Structure formats: structure tokens, C-alpha cells
Amino acid sequence: MNPSVERSFRGHKDGVTSVAFNPNMKQLVSGGMDSTVMVWNFKLQLRAFRFVGHKAAVLSVAAAPSGNLIASGSKDRTVRLWTPNVKGESTVIKAHMAAVRSVSFSADQQHLVSASDDKTIKVWSIPAQRFKHSLAGHSNWVRDAKFSPDGRLLVSSGDDKTVKLWDARSHACVHTFYDHTALVSSCQFHPDGTCIASGSADKTVKLWDVRTLQLLQHYPAHSDAVNEVQFHPSGSFLLSASADSTLKVWDLAEGRLFYTIHSHEAATTSCAFSPAGDFFASASADHQVTVWRTNFDQYLEGSGPPLTADPPPPPPVAQVDPLPEEEQLQPPPPPPPPPPPPMAEEEESLGETEEEESGGDDGLAAAGELMAGTLDHVVNQLDIVSQTVNLLEQRLTLTEDKSSSMEALLRQVLERQELVIKHLQT
């Protein structure tokens, strides 16, 4: 069954930039260009909360794993920590020297990471609500930063077209991926922590293995910039949101596009899965937040109850296109060569075709014949070289003999000249 619209929320007065589920599944959180944070309650009895405090656009929102705290990052250079209730109390953190593009909690809720246009990533202690340390290494704006599920690594991406892996303990950058050709707006760890995904303004989605540091999958994903990528909690699917106004669901096991979803009337800026994966949400520059029932997780056990809110507006017209067979993605093409410092990064293509496999033996045989012919040619050339060397040796010997003869002749001439001179003197 195709994904279907479960709820649609309107309340932002400008484009919506970010969306996140509260893990308690009672609320949905969004941030917008109108400088507000909206908390949408799914229960009929509760109205939406509008949190006001930021002095500029809210660019990112995140909900803590416990569900009792919300973080927001703003163009006003601050991070705010909110309690998601009617009071909407917040703590202001003067975080960066420029706009804060991303905020995200660690799985244990002990830390918050923020990414900024000041080219830095900062880690904050949640219990102490104080700054811990910075990660510096990007040469341009940092768009996104996330903790790994175990908290030992971080991943970041930015306008310098790179994706960076960081050691959370040593604060060192352990690897940089150079495969994208434009700014990288989003990065995300797989739920098992073994790989990362990224979405870029170069319209592609890429996946890397963090153990081998190899490119696993490459998708020419959208017709415009990819604004965000999110893994399904099962790790089997990836969701991407794009400036082309679509959402796309990718089947990672098959390495192909699963669904294309048309709903929003402007750029789709953000997306998020619910903790159980039975719902996902999308945010758009059209001022709207939409909640979808996945319906494609029939491969997985369990599906949550329907969400409700009051009063339910008529659902928007949504068009969901399953992938036609002729449009299925091919194995990933090789990435462009990285700039210096050179990084030896081989691409591991997924889903090799049977045609390529069956042609392997013929290819080896042809290669063997070509090698044999090449060796014969080399042997012949060596014989020619050997003959040439022998001829040169013979000529050298003759030259040496001629030199000896000339030397003897010159001695005879000198001796005769001496005799003539003596004869004349007498």
C-alpha cells in the first residue's frame, strides 16, 4: 500500500524549515521562517503551542529522547531549550557567532550538538546546560551535525562540499569524504551506526560505510537540491526531501527508488520518521506540515494507531508514484576524484546485474589471451635489443682495434720526424 496522508497542520506564517517527532508520540515539533517553534498535539483536547522567543528564523528543531525537552537553533545565533508544555519556558544559549543551522541530541540525552555558519560544530552538556568543546575543520558554513547511536562518533556536513567524521572523545576529524560536488545540507547515521547518508545541493544522495570508509550507494535522487535525509528506524529505507517539492523513499536493500511522493506546493525542506517508523512527517516552504502513514513497512512487524488532532481539516491531495520498472536505479557510478589531499576511495557498487556476472569468465579468458600476446611481443622486443647490443659490442671492438692501429702509425711518424730533424742538424 502507498504512503497516505494522516494529518496536515497549518499555523506557521512563513515557510517551515524543520520538523521532528517527539518520541512520546504525543506531539510533532516544527520551526519556521516566522521565528517561531510550533508544537502540534495529536490529542483532540489539546491545541497547538506556539513558542515565541527567537529573534530570527528558526532553522532547526530537535526533540530529546525522553520527550521532555525541545531544542531549536536560529539565525539569531542562539540555541533555545524548551519544555514542550503550554507554558513554553525556555533557556537561551548564546551558542555561535553566526546562524545556527542544526541542533541534535545524543541518544543518552547527555549532550546536544549544534552546527553553525561560523564554520564550527559545538557540543553542549544538557544536565549542566553549558558549553563543552568545539570541532573545527570545515572551511565554510556547517549545515548539519549528528551523533552516532553509541555517541562515540559525530558526522557533519557543510558548504565546503564535504562530509566529516569526528571522534567524540579526542575531538579529532578521523575522515573527510569529498564525493559531493556542491554543498551538503544533511547527514545522518544509520540506526546501527555502521554507515552514514548525506543529501546535497548536487541533487544526489550518498551512503558510506564508516568502517571501511567506502562509498556504498550513490543515487541521482532529485531534480533539485536535497534538503534532508532520514533513515527509517529499521535501517531498510531512506527518506529524502528536496527543493523539487517531492519526498522520495529509497529501498536500501534493493538499491532502488521505492516511492515518489507529490504533496507540497513548494520546496520540501525537512522530513522525519516516528520512533517506530509507522509514520513520517514533512515540512515545506508552503507553510505546511504533513504527517504520513508509511504503509510500506509491511515488511516489518507492527504499525501504530492513527493520529488525531482537532479539528481535522480535509486532507491535501497527495500523489504517490511507485517506481516504474524502467526507472529503477542502476548500480552507483564511480564518484568524482577527491581534491588534495588525495583519498583512495573505491566505490562498492550494490546490486551487480546477472549480465555482468555471466560475462566475468569470458572477460578473464580475453584478458589471458591479451596478456599472452603482450608477453610474446615483449620477448621479441628483448631479442631485438639483445642483437642490437651484440652489434654495438662488435663495432666497439672494431673501433678499439682501429684506435690501436692509428696509435702505432702515429708513433712511427713521430720517430721518423725525429730522425729527419737529427739528420738536418748534423
Side-chain angles (χ1 to χ4, degrees):
M1 185 184 292
N2 295 339
S4 59
V5 174
E6 186 76 15
R7 287 293 306 121
S8 184
F9 300 105
R10 285 185 178 271
H12 283 285
K13 299 175 182 178
D14 204 339
V16 188
T17 58
S18 183
V19 66
F21 281 94
N22 189 321
N24 64 20
M25 281 307 292
K26 296 177 181 178
Q27 298 170 325
L28 186 72
V29 185
S30 61
M33 296 298 291
D34 58 4
S35 308
T36 67
V37 174
M38 295 293 296
V39 178
W40 311 95
N41 291 291
F42 295 133
K43 286 188 176 180
L44 290 170
Q45 300 90 335
L46 299 175
R47 63 179 178 83
F49 305 144
R50 182 189 301 273
F51 294 163
V52 178
H54 283 296
K55 298 177 181 178
V58 177
L59 303 178
S60 178
V61 294
S66 67
N68 62 4
L69 199 63
I70 292 170
S72 58
S74 170
K75 206 169 182 179
D76 66 9
R77 309 179 186 180
T78 69
V79 170
R80 283 181 178 257
L81 299 176
W82 310 81
T83 53
N85 56 34
V86 67
K87 292 182 179 179
E89 297 172 343
S90 68
T91 302
V92 183
I93 301 174
K94 295 182 179 179
H96 289 270
M97 300 298 293
V100 181
R101 294 275 172 184
S102 170
V103 289
S104 181
F105 288 95
S106 61
D108 60 7
Q109 200 172 316
Q110 294 298 301
H111 299 99
L112 179 80
V113 62
S114 58
S116 170
D117 287 359
D118 63 10
K119 307 178 189 178
T120 68
I121 301 147
K122 292 189 178 182
V123 177
W124 310 84
S125 169
I126 295 300
Q129 294 191 1
R130 59 180 293 182
F131 169 75
K132 287 196 69 176
H133 59 265
S134 289
L135 303 175
H138 283 281
S139 60
N140 209 330
W141 295 357
V142 188
R143 295 271 175 173
D144 201 6
K146 298 288 196 312
F147 284 100
S148 62
D150 61 10
R152 293 191 294 178
L153 294 172
L154 293 98
V155 63
S156 63
S157 62
D159 284 24
D160 58 5
K161 308 176 188 178
T162 68
V163 175
K164 290 181 179 288
L165 275 177
W166 306 84
D167 187 302
R169 291 185 180 179
S170 67
H171 313 159
C173 178
V174 296
H175 192 72
T176 301
F177 299 98
Y178 294 95
D179 301 72
H180 283 293
T181 58
L183 69 86
V184 187
S185 53
S186 178
C187 55
Q188 187 79 21
F189 272 98
H190 189 276
D192 67 9
T194 59
C195 71
I196 54 176
S198 62
S200 169
D202 64 12
K203 308 175 188 178
T204 70
V205 170
K206 298 180 187 291
L207 280 80
W208 290 276
D209 190 312
V210 300
R211 300 159 297 183
T212 63
L213 306 178
Q214 299 297 315
L215 182 65
L216 294 176
Q217 292 181 330
H218 161 92
Y219 299 104
H222 288 270
S223 60
D224 207 336
V226 181
N227 291 324
E228 188 159 18
V229 291
Q230 289 285 333
F231 281 103
H232 187 273
S234 69
S236 300
F237 304 100
L238 186 76
L239 181 64
S240 61
S242 171
D244 65 9
S245 79
T246 68
L247 292 161
K248 293 193 177 185
V249 181
W250 307 90
D251 184 336
L252 301 182
E254 297 292 332
R256 67 185 182 95
L257 179 63
F258 203 43
Y259 288 109
T260 298
I261 302 168
H262 305 272
S263 173
H264 291 288
E265 298 175 358
T268 308
T269 53
S270 182
C271 59
F273 276 108
S274 64
D278 45 357
F279 297 97
F280 63 91
S282 60
S284 172
D286 65 7
H287 307 188
Q288 183 169 285
V289 178
T290 304
V291 179
W292 308 76
R293 182 176 285 275
T294 57
N295 292 330
F296 57 74
D297 56 354
Q298 61 264 30
Y299 306 105
L300 311 169
E301 292 184 3
S303 181
L307 302 176
T308 57
D310 86 286
V317 177
Q319 181 184 351
V320 182
D321 298 335
L323 178 69
E325 187 161 339
E326 63 270 16
E327 293 182 14
Q328 293 183 5
L329 296 180
Q330 298 301 314
M343 314 289 291
E345 299 181 0
E346 281 182 25
E347 178 178 356
E348 297 178 1
S349 298
L350 298 186
E352 294 293 337
T353 62
E354 292 181 2
E355 229 176 29
E356 290 172 341
E357 291 176 359
S358 64
D361 293 340
D362 294 341
L364 288 174
E369 293 177 2
L370 180 61
M371 182 64 71
T374 303
L375 287 174
D376 290 341
H377 179 70
V378 170
V379 169
N380 292 335
Q381 292 297 318
L382 287 174
D383 288 340
I384 294 172
V385 170
S386 178
Q387 294 172 10
T388 303
V389 169
N390 290 334
L391 180 60
L392 288 173
E393 287 178 348
Q394 293 173 7
R395 289 184 178 179
L396 183 59
T397 302
L398 290 174
T399 302
E400 288 176 349
D401 292 342
K402 288 181 180 179
S403 297
S404 299
S405 300
M406 288 295 295
E407 186 178 355
L409 181 60
L410 287 172
R411 286 177 181 171
Q412 292 177 4
V413 170
L414 289 172
E415 289 174 356
R416 289 180 180 178
Q417 284 180 344
E418 289 178 356
L419 291 174
V420 171
I421 290 171
K422 288 180 180 179
H423 177 73
L424 291 173
Q425 286 177 347
T426 58

